[in-house]
Amino acid sequence: MVDPEPRPSAAQRLGAQETLGISTLDPGHRPPTMPPGRHVAITVRMLDGTDEVFDVSQRASGKVLFDLVCTHLNLVEGDYFGLEYEDHNKMTVRPKHTVLRFVVKFFPPDHAQLLEELTRYLFALQIKHDLACGRLTCNDSSAALLVSHVIQSEIGDFEESQSRQHLLNNSYIPEQMALMDKIMEFHSKNVGQTPAESDYQLLEVARRLEMYGVRLHPAKDREGSKLSLSVSHTGVLVFQGHTKINAFNWSKVRKLSFKRKRFLIKLRPDLNSSYQDTLEFLMGSRDCCKVFWKICVEYHAFFRLFEEPKPKPKPVLFTRGSSFRFSGRTQKQVIDYVKDSEFKKIAFDRYRLGCLSGSFLSPPLICLSVPSTGLASDSPHLSASSGNSQGMVNGQKPVQLFGHSPDGRQPSPLTSPLLNDAGSVRTDDEDEVRRKRFPTDRAYFIAKELLTTERTYLKDLEVVTSFQDAVGKDEATPEPLKSTIFSHFDPLYKFHSGFLREVEQRLALWEGRSNAHIKGDYQRIGDVMLKNLQGLKPLMAHLQKHSEALVELEKACRASRRLEVLVRDFELQKVCYIPLNVFILRPLHRLTHYKQILERLCKHYPATHVDFRDSRAALADVSEVVAQLQAGMIKMENVQKLLELKKDLIGVDNLVTPGREFIRLGCLSKLSGKGLQQRMFFLFNDVLLYTSRGMTATNQFKVHGQLPLHGMTIRESEDEWGVPHAFTLVGQHQSVVVAASSLSEMEKWMEDIKMAIDLAGSSNGPTSDLLASSLTDNKSPTEDSCQEAESEDDLAASRTSLERQAPHRGNTTVHVCWHRNTTVSMVDFSVAVENQLSGNLLRKFKNSNGWQKLWVVFTNFSLFFYKTHQDDYPLASLPLLGYSVTIPTESENIHKDYVFKLHFKSHVYYFRSESEYTFERWMEVIRSATVSASHRRSRKESHLY
């Protein structure tokens, strides 16, 4: 091995014992066996831009050279990397004229699968290169965020003059000067991040970009349109420019082949697909076509197979087609190898680049191959065999953010790749170490709950502010609506952004992650909460006027069809994962959460604790505010629920009327001449509606009957009709026989209906309700409120009706109750408002021992899954109505602590929390959505079950 220059080598930078960082390959690792013959010097450009010269036999294969590079770097997870040509015009290895580049070859879907810090560091260098050369394209905000993590790794914590000078001296992205202020703003938020953590965050942001790891191969379709093909762990991708226009998942692909310049994708038969059986793309040449085909073969084998495929036996007489097969370890084998092997931990020096050299700003490289038969060859193609370090010299392909279908629709919660074994296998050894490093005091985990839920709350406020941006400039938006929503939420968002920063800084000090030289006892949170709750008092006027925002929005939508369409379209966006009205009430709900957190904190602390006094004072302040807003909050929650139900129902006028209160909704079977038929019932304090789900474009529920509660009686009638759990509703004009799915469901309905009948009988008329009365239409109510509409003709008409033809969410609480044949009450909704939680959980795959780390938000009776807390919208959701939550038994072989099990019929999920406290909290809040709440009649009752 020869180094022509006296400067420090890559081995010294990446393998020096006296520096910081960890690698797991012993420096005495045996180099590959070198075949006999004359030696030549081969130049390999490393990921940090430096050139290393390797002395190899002229007869050596590309794998030998690649193994030398991995040994030189002390790299264990070398299977993710490869070699490629620096110049595609020089496809033979001539020592004096050819430079090979060491690059990332396989981009995994989750950087957490990279178990070594050195591997993640090399991936980070690859991202820096792709950013600089313009291959990794993204919006300005993402680019600035990526660069902020790069300079955090290189120069440490933010200092304005130093950061600005560093950006002036170094170029990381094209047009960097225009983004300098934004980069510095992001850099200032990275305080306390170590270089290793910065690498991790860099990869976390980069992996979510559409062009992450993408290597484009020019092609044309049958019509001659210019396209580009690429490949990722999910399948074959099609791009037009830098926009992905199609994706063919491996599960849909039957065969990949090429014939001369034509690349062929044969799909599996699918009756629901509009694609033809075989898709054809025309590439530049046969060689280009074959190279891309080989890359696809390797990507499929590396990410989809459990072990290296066996070589195809050689034919006796004739050969047909290519004999190329992937040779090397699969990703699963790499992960198992690193996990199961015990390596001596050695240090490596994290080499910080002073600037990006010209090589980083060079045009994108053309990915070619080193022939397996020898380094001196005229063949432009790739091949190599591999042992411990797979050394194929080839191009790399991208990673697509899984959890999305090719058409951009959000997947079903039960079929999403995020919640299936098709997702990536994850090891949690690093999480074990990280968890042991953090404090174990219960107060720390209470403070951490404040942090995680505040992050979610601020994201929810961002939804409202983005709604402001979407409709604020439209001329259809009336001034009263602008003044109520815009003036109320902007100050709140600004205040809570500052509050979140203070909480993050305090937790960083508590965990010992911050390198700020600050002295004092910072293992407490009560003082931070007291300070900010007192700072929140001037904003009380905004909180008290949230009812106005709710009312003004509904009135404006009624007055303007255009605004109604704008609001509806916004609610259909992925960021609006729950009804918009719920987001508007979030600031009021958040005060209740602060109160609960402080109650737990005060209960935990002894009276002598340094943080007890501040925590108790903060609790007194927030309790006073909650008490002032409690009555108005309950009224607004009722109006919000009525407005939400109004969107789910058709065939009823004036659902929001003065004095009307929602009590319960759910499925019951109605007895008619054709037997028992599933119907959705809605109980209010003055009327009972029953509906069926119409087969319309809106998936709304068609009202078939309205039963006034005044004068109604109710009795059990199981023996009378021979139907289990049946009861009869006897009204003034008609009687209805219904049956519940279980005895407990029947008891809930009968108890609530009896209570509603008593209220209707004792009431002298509708009470004055300013909120509801301001929303009441001038239209007259339905003249025959108890008219029966159960004939087959009417039902058929409801299925073809196109009333209010507008897109509508099919995953609301009403639809979940319909599909799972269950019920939920207003008391349940109120308890769910108080029981919200967010944080990281590990989700276990069904058919393996792997665990996947997810950011999970529990709200509105559902779990919403994200990759990180920084994501703008969930990848999948899991409604929990009907689910049971338990602890795994011994027979289930879940040998981990703090694991809980969710199951509904044949659907089973295991989730694992980081501590006993978080485990208790997740069990507590989930039970609030899954445990019967039929006897909870007061908002003051405990949320602990």
Side-chain angles (χ1 to χ4, degrees):
M1 197 176 297
V2 180
D3 191 343
E5 299 184 18
R7 63 189 180 192
S9 68
Q12 290 173 315
R13 288 192 301 276
L14 298 175
Q17 292 279 355
E18 67 275 12
T19 55
L20 298 178
I22 294 296
S23 174
T24 54
L25 186 63
D26 192 291
H29 181 68
R30 293 182 59 185
T33 303
M34 189 70 62
R38 187 169 65 90
H39 282 214
V40 294
I42 305 296
T43 302
V44 176
R45 184 151 296 161
M46 312 305 288
L47 281 166
D48 61 2
T50 61
D51 291 344
E52 300 294 338
V53 179
F54 296 89
D55 193 32
V56 297
S57 170
Q58 198 171 25
R59 297 181 181 179
S61 66
K63 177 190 177 303
V64 172
L65 174 61
F66 178 77
D67 286 348
L68 277 175
V69 176
C70 291
T71 305
H72 179 66
L73 294 174
N74 300 325
L75 180 62
V76 175
E77 297 174 295
D79 305 72
Y80 290 101
F81 300 85
L83 297 174
E84 68 182 13
Y85 289 106
E86 176 80 8
D87 186 350
H88 70 281
N89 293 318
K90 298 177 180 179
M91 296 182 295
T92 57
V93 179
R94 306 297 183 190
K96 294 183 179 180
H97 307 287
T98 302
V99 177
L100 299 176
R101 183 185 287 277
F102 181 75
V103 293
V104 176
K105 176 181 179 182
F106 295 115
F107 289 81
D110 186 356
H111 57 284
Q113 296 172 335
L114 306 175
L115 307 183
E116 294 290 296
E117 181 183 332
L118 172 60
T119 310
R120 291 192 292 272
Y121 169 60
L122 294 175
F123 264 74
L125 291 178
Q126 181 70 64
I127 297 304
K128 289 161 63 178
H129 176 274
D130 291 351
L131 269 176
C133 70
R135 187 187 303 187
L136 181 58
T137 58
C138 56
N139 59 42
D140 290 348
S141 181
S142 296
L145 184 59
L146 288 167
V147 175
S148 73
H149 290 303
V150 172
I151 61 177
Q152 173 71 23
S153 173
E154 295 182 359
I155 65 175
D157 287 346
F158 175 77
E159 198 282 316
E160 184 172 1
S161 59
Q162 181 190 19
S163 180
R164 184 177 300 277
Q165 189 62 42
H166 189 77
L167 289 171
L168 290 173
N169 294 338
N170 302 279
S171 177
Y172 297 98
I173 53 175
E175 308 297 332
Q176 179 172 294
M177 293 300 295
L179 297 177
M180 184 174 295
D181 291 339
K182 184 172 287 189
I183 294 172
M184 294 174 62
E185 178 186 351
F186 284 132
H187 185 200
S188 65
K189 299 177 182 179
N190 296 337
V191 174
Q193 281 187 8
T194 65
E197 290 172 336
S198 296
D199 286 346
Y200 192 91
Q201 293 300 323
L202 175 73
L203 297 176
E204 176 65 32
V205 176
R207 69 170 181 81
R208 291 181 286 156
L209 301 176
E210 188 167 73
M211 295 301 293
Y212 169 65
V214 168
R215 304 299 183 253
L216 299 176
H217 296 254
K220 294 181 180 179
D221 60 13
R222 286 185 173 179
E223 287 73 33
S225 300
K226 291 185 178 181
L227 303 170
S228 295
L229 299 181
S230 187
V231 64
S232 75
H233 73 285
T234 60
V236 181
L237 312 178
V238 184
F239 285 81
Q240 195 163 48
H242 286 83
T243 302
K244 185 174 66 178
I245 61 173
N246 218 330
F248 302 101
N249 194 282
W250 294 125
S251 62
K252 303 293 185 183
V253 176
R254 182 179 177 185
K255 182 180 180 181
L256 294 176
S257 60
F258 68 96
K259 187 174 182 180
R260 297 184 178 89
K261 297 194 297 182
R262 292 181 297 151
F263 182 77
L264 306 174
I265 303 176
K266 191 169 186 178
L267 302 176
R268 299 183 186 278
D270 186 356
L271 298 178
N272 299 322
S273 175
S274 60
Y275 296 118
Q276 52 193 330
D277 177 61
T278 302
L279 300 175
E280 180 178 312
F281 297 91
L282 189 67
M283 305 193 79
S285 65
R286 179 185 180 278
D287 288 345
C288 294
C289 204
K290 186 175 183 179
V291 165
F292 182 65
W293 174 78
K294 285 185 175 184
I295 295 171
C296 292
V297 170
E298 292 186 310
Y299 250 85
H300 177 270
F302 184 76
F303 287 109
R304 299 280 289 185
L305 301 184
F306 286 163
E307 58 185 20
E308 179 182 351
K310 296 180 180 179
K312 187 177 181 180
K314 294 183 179 180
V316 178
L317 297 177
F318 303 102
T319 61
R320 183 178 180 181
S322 174
S323 62
F324 175 78
R325 292 292 182 273
F326 172 76
S327 59
R329 294 183 299 194
T330 65
Q331 186 191 35
K332 183 180 185 303
Q333 289 176 314
V334 175
I335 293 174
D336 292 342
Y337 171 71
V338 177
K339 284 183 61 178
D340 298 340
S341 303
E342 294 185 2
F343 298 99
K344 177 183 177 182
K345 301 288 184 181
I346 67 168
F348 74 88
D349 182 15
R350 179 175 297 275
Y351 179 66
R352 295 178 174 176
L353 296 173
C355 65
L356 295 180
S357 65
S359 62
F360 277 82
L361 298 174
S362 60
L365 301 173
I366 303 300
C367 303
L368 297 173
S369 329
V370 174
S372 59
T373 54
L375 289 175
S377 169
D378 294 332
S379 170
H381 314 307
L382 230 103
S383 60
S385 59
S386 175
N388 289 340
S389 295
Q390 185 268 340
M392 190 62 144
V393 186
N394 208 337
Q396 315 82 309
K397 287 295 149 274
V399 167
Q400 177 189 1
L401 178 63
F402 64 90
H404 295 280
S405 58
D407 59 4
R409 294 176 297 179
Q410 187 171 349
S412 164
L414 298 181
T415 60
S416 166
L418 184 67
L419 298 177
N420 278 285
D421 291 359
S424 57
V425 177
R426 172 183 171 79
T427 177
D428 54 351
D429 291 346
E430 292 185 356
D431 293 304
E432 295 273 7
V433 175
R434 182 179 177 85
R435 186 161 55 247
K436 291 176 181 178
R437 208 174 62 225
F438 284 164
T440 57
D441 182 24
R442 188 178 182 87
Y444 163 75
F445 291 107
I446 296 174
K448 192 169 183 180
E449 179 183 339
L450 172 66
L451 171 65
T452 57
T453 53
E454 190 71 14
R455 283 172 171 168
T456 300
Y457 171 57
L458 197 64
K459 280 289 184 182
D460 289 347
L461 289 181
E462 286 179 6
V463 174
V464 182
T465 57
S466 63
F467 171 71
Q468 296 175 184
D469 297 336
V471 304
K473 298 178 181 179
D474 195 278
E475 59 184 12
T477 306
E479 288 302 324
L481 178 61
K482 293 181 181 179
S483 61
T484 52
I485 292 186
F486 295 8
S487 62
H488 293 170
F489 280 89
D490 285 340
L492 285 174
Y493 180 78
K494 183 177 180 180
F495 171 82
H496 286 282
S497 297
F499 179 36
L500 177 60
R501 284 195 296 270
E502 288 191 41
V503 175
E504 288 176 333
Q505 291 170 1
R506 177 57 56 88
L507 264 293
L509 290 169
W510 203 328
E511 295 169 355
R513 290 187 292 112
S514 177
N515 60 357
H517 300 288
I518 306 175
K519 297 182 178 179
D521 182 7
Y522 290 100
Q523 294 188 358
R524 53 179 177 163
I525 198 66
D527 57 329
V528 176
M529 293 197 71
L530 177 61
K531 170 192 170 185
N532 283 276
L533 286 173
Q534 290 175 345
L536 189 61
K537 287 183 178 180
L539 301 177
M540 278 291 295
H542 298 290
L543 296 173
Q544 291 170 343
K545 292 182 179 180
H546 270 62
S547 60
E548 295 181 13
L550 204 63
V551 172
E552 289 295 337
L553 178 60
E554 181 63 17
K555 287 172 62 177
C557 289
R558 292 190 178 195
S560 171
R561 173 64 177 169
R562 175 177 172 79
L563 181 61
E564 182 183 8
V565 172
L566 288 174
V567 173
R568 185 186 65 224
D569 290 345
F570 180 81
E571 284 195 311
L572 291 173
Q573 295 181 19
K574 293 179 180 179
V575 294
C576 197
Y577 62 97
I578 54 178
L580 178 61
N581 287 336
V582 178
F583 287 110
I584 293 178
L585 295 183
R586 275 290 197 251
L588 300 178
H589 300 158
R590 188 58 181 158
L591 294 174
T592 304
H593 302 157
Y594 292 150
K595 180 173 178 287
Q596 294 171 342
I597 289 172
L598 286 165
E599 285 173 344
R600 284 191 288 272
L601 206 57
C602 290
K603 184 178 180 180
H604 167 69
Y605 283 143
T608 56
H609 194 279
V610 66
D611 200 28
F612 178 77
R613 185 174 180 179
D614 288 338
S615 299
R616 186 173 60 178
L619 176 59
D621 286 347
V622 74
S623 298
E624 180 183 356
V625 174
V626 170
Q628 293 174 4
L629 299 174
Q630 183 78 4
M633 190 188 310
I634 295 175
K635 284 186 177 182
M636 281 187 285
E637 287 175 0
N638 179 67
V639 172
Q640 181 272 321
K641 184 52 60 180
L642 292 176
L643 293 173
E644 184 181 341
L645 293 178
K646 178 185 172 184
K647 298 177 182 179
D648 287 313
L649 298 175
I650 54 176
V652 59
D653 293 323
N654 298 337
L655 186 66
V656 186
T657 59
R660 175 166 289 170
E661 296 179 8
F662 167 71
I663 297 177
R664 178 175 292 277
L665 65 85
C667 276
L668 292 172
S669 296
K670 180 180 177 293
L671 186 62
S672 67
K674 294 189 176 292
L676 291 172
Q677 296 178 314
Q678 183 181 0
R679 294 288 180 262
M680 191 64 137
F681 281 73
F682 298 85
L683 176 63
F684 304 92
N685 64 337
D686 61 336
V687 67
L688 177 66
L689 309 179
Y690 56 94
T691 70
S692 68
R693 186 184 179 191
M695 301 299 292
T696 67
T698 62
N699 285 328
Q700 292 167 291
F701 289 84
K702 173 77 173 182
V703 175
H704 294 298
Q706 305 183 37
L707 305 175
L709 297 183
H710 187 73
M712 179 183 285
T713 60
I714 183 173
R715 68 174 188 269
E716 291 189 39
S717 52
E718 181 174 340
D719 296 336
E720 179 181 354
W721 296 98
V723 178
H725 319 307
F727 56 96
T728 302
L729 303 170
V730 183
Q732 293 181 345
H733 300 284
Q734 72 176 118
S735 297
V736 176
V737 179
V738 295
S741 61
S742 65
L743 177 62
S744 62
E745 292 281 293
M746 183 187 73
E747 291 174 346
K748 296 176 192 177
W749 276 106
M750 291 190 66
E751 185 175 355
D752 280 344
I753 292 173
K754 287 178 181 178
M755 179 190 68
I757 291 173
D758 293 340
L759 291 174
S762 61
S763 175
N764 295 323
T767 58
S768 176
D769 189 330
L770 179 61
L771 295 178
S773 61
S774 64
L775 297 175
T776 303
D777 282 333
N778 295 323
K779 302 175 184 178
S780 61
T782 306
E783 294 183 4
D784 187 2
S785 61
C786 60
Q787 180 181 358
E788 177 66 43
E790 289 285 59
S791 69
E792 286 298 318
D793 292 339
D794 289 333
L795 286 177
S798 74
R799 294 189 182 99
T800 58
S801 170
L802 297 180
E803 295 181 62
R804 294 170 60 185
Q805 286 296 323
H808 188 71
R809 287 188 182 273
N811 61 348
T812 64
T813 304
V814 179
H815 288 82
V816 175
C817 288
W818 172 264
H819 288 295
R820 296 187 180 166
N821 196 21
T822 186
T823 178
V824 64
S825 70
M826 187 63 198
V827 178
D828 298 329
F829 281 108
S830 299
V831 172
V833 163
E834 297 176 354
N835 287 273
Q836 299 180 17
L837 194 61
S838 54
N840 287 312
L841 286 176
L842 293 175
R843 181 254 168 179
K844 185 185 182 301
F845 294 127
K846 293 181 181 178
N847 301 318
S848 72
N849 293 324
W851 294 79
Q852 182 184 25
K853 188 175 182 180
L854 300 168
W855 176 262
V856 184
V857 174
F858 174 75
T859 185
N860 222 42
F861 303 106
S862 299
L863 292 175
F864 294 91
F865 300 96
Y866 304 74
K867 289 300 290 181
T868 72
H869 69 86
Q870 297 171 329
D871 292 353
D872 292 327
Y873 55 85
L875 299 175
S877 63
L878 182 65
L880 295 185
L881 289 174
Y883 268 77
S884 298
V885 56
T886 58
I887 300 175
T889 62
E890 286 292 330
S891 61
E892 293 173 273
N893 295 321
I894 307 295
H895 303 298
K896 298 290 184 181
D897 296 329
Y898 316 132
V899 176
F900 58 89
K901 171 185 175 183
L902 296 174
H903 53 99
F904 172 74
K905 295 183 178 179
S906 61
H907 305 290
V908 179
Y909 302 103
Y910 299 97
F911 292 95
R912 180 173 159 213
S913 55
E914 65 177 347
S915 68
E916 182 180 2
Y917 172 80
T918 52
F919 168 77
E920 292 172 355
R921 287 290 294 136
W922 280 107
M923 291 283 286
E924 180 181 315
V925 298
I926 292 175
R927 280 176 176 165
S928 72
T930 58
V931 174
S932 170
S934 60
H935 301 292
R936 297 178 297 207
R937 294 288 169 236
S938 171
R939 286 292 303 272
K940 296 181 180 179
E941 287 202 355
S942 173
H943 55 274
L944 300 176
Y945 302 103

